[in-house]
Amino acid sequence: MNFSRTAAGEIRLDSALVSLGIVRPVINGRPLETGSISENGSIFRYALPDQQQFCLEFRQDTMLSLRYWIEGAPVDSFGVCFVGLENLRAYLCSGYYSWDRSTYEEAGAHKTGYAMTQLLPRFGSGSVVVGFDRHDRCQQTFTFEGDSLTVQTLWDRKNGRPESERLVLFEHPGVEDALREWAKIVAEAAPIPPRQTAPLLGWCSWYNLYAYITEENILEHLRGVVEVSQHEKLPMRIFQIDDGFTPEMGDWLEVKPQFPRGMKPLLEEIRAAGFIPGLWIGPFMVGNRSRLYREHPDWVVQDRQTGEPLVQMHFYEEFRWHKRSEEYYILDTTHPAALDYLRQVFHVWRHEWGCEYFKTDFMHFGSEHGPDRAVWHTPGLSRIEIWRRTAEVIREAIGDALWLGCGCPLWASVGLVDGVRIGNDVGVVWHGVRSAQSLLQNQATRNFANGILWRGDPDCILIRERFHHLTDSELRSLALYAGMSGGVLTTSDALDELSAERLKLWKLILNPNPTGCDFPLLGQSDPVLVQVRRSARGANVFIFNTSDEPMQRRYPLSMLGLSAPKFVYDWTAGRRWETPVEHLAVTLAPHDGALFFLEDAPILTPPETLV
């Protein structure tokens, strides 16, 4: 990647893979026609109206990087527009938080992503990555429209000189490895290094009991988890109670009558059973029927357009989410008293109740709104600066307890959380809302960050025989697909109600020392997904037909980054191949997958766990 000046004096960025074209400044979302451009070493200054200057600095070390800033009036957003993209086949549109999906889009599609993008060439192999190194002070957007890419820093009228983080641009011969290279840059630049945590393996109450939990049925499921874990020698170590034990969002120190002893004795029983006790909380959520809002209406973010509390979520019809609140507001953590309250909640849960695993949900509340909509108690901070300061208070209050962020900003959470949900809620259907589709899309495109920035959480794995609309092959394939990730692995199903076959599946994916997996064909528009997981013993290869039609595929092992030949055990079919192979050939029914164990020597007995 290199930059040059055109005959007209404009700056141009070119690459052997995908050229970005002419660079132009952008202020408040609008590319500007600039006047004179003066050059002083590596800094270029664009003369703008009203005595403003847009400054752009290039550095060429191991890779090209740039920063930009404005000298003059404050702004909501500012950045650069690359005009004239060439040889672009597809680009990665990266979502910002857990439920904001990340997908490869065809060139020409008008989409906006966050934090970074990856450009795939129409002709040739490899990729170009364009992304920021830090994400704890501002959000950054990447908008594609026609043959242009606009990169903006959302400044939100924050105090100080508008100045961007470092934007790195580099070519790479790979696709997923290129994304991992960017993740390592983010890890190195993070003000707090990423947390290195052992795999989070356990049980969560939500996808079996949902909000209908009581002390009695929680203890009933605990007994089943203990019995099966001990008998099967499962490495499960977390037992987490999800939403349903507090009366309203925001009233986090109150407990429903269904928990007559409160939470402390229940968490003590979980710990005595040999598990890390966990609880669910939505720190930024305030229900309009909560005691918190009734007593402190000034503790929520206001809507500049209406003068009323900013409504982040509402339930006006039949479903009320097992609460009375019709509306949900955002806790204004720039209000000192509101932030002190949140600090107290996490301190009590951790040090008085004994919670050692925190699942914080709806963590995107507040980070979606700029000053055009949100009115905070204390002005002068960007939306993500507010989020990060709040998250730092949470980490300080819980100490070294485990923390899973759900509905959570992916990049601003680096260094604070142990795990991050990488997709939407798991569901009981293949297509539609809360279906398999979120997992299929987001696990592949966010896998690169797993184990580098945090552990990725594909959400709870469904393994029960009844009470869903998935076929046996769909359920098995989705479990294997999630299990191959080597990140957070939990289930909500009653373990003592599972058949021997389903327990065998659950045991297979619960490797306590996973290496994570690769997607060697990432970026190709193929409904058949391929995962490879390596170890000193060999490798697992999972081939998954996500389409609605039968598919045939043939993969040379070298295409998957594996040396040939290998001996193969087909776990799905329950048979070993007698002679070594140099390729894998499969015929898969719709929504079905095949799991292979590959080793240098013949595999004589059926493997019981992923490598």
Side-chain angles (χ1 to χ4, degrees), residues 459-504:
D459 204 8
C460 288
I461 296 173
L462 193 69
I463 50 178
R464 60 182 180 256
E465 274 88 356
R466 303 172 60 197
F467 313 122
H468 58 78
H469 302 288
L470 298 169
T471 66
D472 287 347
S473 60
E474 287 173 343
L475 185 143
R476 181 189 66 241
S477 295
L478 290 170
L480 291 172
Y481 182 69
M484 284 283 286
S485 69
V488 182
L489 294 177
T490 58
T491 187
S492 293
D493 295 328
L495 295 189
D496 55 347
E497 295 179 1
L498 298 179
S499 66
E501 191 66 22
R502 293 297 167 85
L503 273 177
K504 176 185 173 183

Side-chain angles (χ1 to χ4, degrees), residues 491-544:
T491 187
S492 293
D493 295 328
L495 295 189
D496 55 347
E497 295 179 1
L498 298 179
S499 66
E501 191 66 22
R502 293 297 167 85
L503 273 177
K504 176 185 173 183
L505 175 63
W506 181 234
K507 190 173 184 178
L508 177 78
I509 63 179
L510 280 183
N511 188 332
N513 300 298
T515 57
C517 75
D518 300 324
F519 284 82
L521 308 181
L522 185 68
Q524 299 184 12
S525 54
D526 190 343
V528 179
L529 304 177
V530 180
Q531 295 167 287
V532 177
R533 190 152 131 177
R534 298 175 178 83
S535 77
R537 280 170 38 196
N540 297 136
V541 177
F542 184 57
I543 306 173
F544 192 3

Side-chain angles (χ1 to χ4, degrees), residues 154-468:
L154 305 185
W155 191 251
D156 293 339
R157 306 173 197 170
K158 108 185 191 74
N159 294 330
R161 183 181 76 171
E163 182 173 1
S164 77
E165 308 291 4
R166 186 172 70 114
L167 181 67
V168 298
L169 309 94
F170 62 90
E171 303 171 20
H172 196 282
V175 178
E176 190 172 38
D177 283 344
L179 296 174
R180 285 197 175 102
E181 187 67 28
W182 176 75
K184 292 174 183 176
I185 291 170
V186 172
E188 185 176 348
I192 303 174
R195 293 175 63 83
Q196 299 300 315
T197 305
L200 305 179
L201 312 178
W203 188 88
C204 163
S205 64
W206 184 252
Y207 295 99
N208 189 344
L209 300 173
Y210 295 96
Y212 306 103
I213 57 175
T214 65
E215 178 178 310
E216 181 180 2
N217 62 26
I218 288 294
L219 289 174
E220 176 186 347
H221 281 75
L222 175 62
R223 287 189 290 270
V225 170
V226 170
E227 178 185 346
V228 174
S229 293
Q230 291 177 350
H231 183 267
E232 300 292 332
K233 297 182 173 55
L234 300 177
M236 298 171 66
R237 63 193 189 107
I238 293 166
F239 188 95
Q240 182 237 318
I241 304 171
D242 214 276
D243 184 25
F245 60 92
T246 57
E248 292 288 343
M249 306 302 191
D251 295 338
W252 304 118
L253 298 178
E254 300 179 27
V255 178
K256 284 183 175 180
Q258 290 88 336
F259 295 84
R261 297 186 298 160
M263 303 311 292
K264 180 178 179 179
L266 188 53
L267 298 185
E268 288 175 347
E269 291 198 41
I270 295 170
R271 188 180 302 104
F275 288 89
I276 297 170
L279 293 174
W280 178 99
I281 186 173
F284 288 98
M285 303 181 78
V286 179
N288 66 302
R289 301 283 182 178
S290 66
R291 179 192 299 269
L292 179 70
Y293 179 66
R294 185 167 65 251
E295 295 180 354
H296 304 284
D298 58 327
W299 284 10
V300 299
V301 176
Q302 300 298 302
D303 190 328
R304 190 177 300 276
Q305 298 174 7
T306 66
E308 301 291 330
L310 199 162
V311 180
Q312 177 79 39
M313 181 185 295
H314 62 78
F315 298 97
Y316 295 159
E317 298 180 2
E318 182 176 351
F319 177 70
R320 287 286 179 86
W321 203 2
H322 64 272
K323 304 280 199 283
R324 291 183 60 230
S325 292
E326 295 92 349
E327 295 181 340
Y328 289 92
Y329 310 139
I330 305 162
L331 186 69
D332 187 348
T333 53
T334 71
H335 192 301
L339 186 61
D340 284 344
Y341 166 72
L342 197 62
R343 182 185 289 110
Q344 178 195 9
V345 167
F346 279 95
H347 180 85
V348 168
W349 282 31
R350 175 68 184 93
H351 299 284
E352 296 183 22
W353 292 6
C355 181
E356 299 176 22
Y357 175 80
F358 292 82
K359 178 182 175 183
T360 61
D361 212 344
F362 294 89
M363 292 294 285
H364 66 296
F365 268 43
S367 65
E368 293 185 300
H369 306 293
D372 59 325
R373 182 79 186 278
V375 180
W376 299 82
H377 178 271
T378 304
L381 300 170
S382 73
R383 68 191 80 176
I384 208 60
E385 204 168 30
I386 296 168
W387 187 95
R388 177 75 184 196
R389 292 185 180 189
T390 306
E392 288 174 351
V393 166
I394 293 174
R395 172 49 76 185
E396 180 183 6
I398 67 175
D400 287 332
L402 297 173
W403 181 2
L404 173 68
C406 185
C408 184
L410 300 169
W411 322 118
S413 60
V414 171
L416 297 176
V417 302
D418 297 280
V420 164
R421 272 277 297 280
I422 52 82
N424 214 322
D425 284 16
V426 70
V428 296
V429 295
W430 183 265
H431 290 295
V433 179
R434 286 186 292 278
S435 66
Q437 305 313 303
S438 174
L439 172 64
L440 297 178
Q441 293 167 344
N442 293 321
Q443 181 164 314
T445 52
R446 291 170 173 169
N447 180 66
F448 70 89
N450 181 38
I452 298 176
L453 300 179
W454 24 251
R455 288 203 176 269
D457 174 24
D459 204 8
C460 288
I461 296 173
L462 193 69
I463 50 178
R464 60 182 180 256
E465 274 88 356
R466 303 172 60 197
F467 313 122
H468 58 78

Side-chain angles (χ1 to χ4, degrees), residues 107-169:
H110 185 184
K111 299 282 185 177
T112 296
Y114 294 83
M116 56 82 67
T117 189
Q118 182 180 40
L119 312 176
L120 303 182
R122 184 172 299 279
F123 303 104
S125 59
S127 64
V128 173
V129 174
V130 183
F132 288 93
D133 62 344
R134 283 187 64 167
H135 307 272
D136 55 300
R137 294 181 286 213
C138 291
Q139 285 184 349
Q140 303 100 359
T141 62
F142 289 70
T143 301
F144 287 83
E145 185 172 11
D147 68 343
S148 70
L149 164 61
T150 300
V151 180
Q152 291 193 87
T153 296
L154 305 185
W155 191 251
D156 293 339
R157 306 173 197 170
K158 108 185 191 74
N159 294 330
R161 183 181 76 171
E163 182 173 1
S164 77
E165 308 291 4
R166 186 172 70 114
L167 181 67
V168 298
L169 309 94

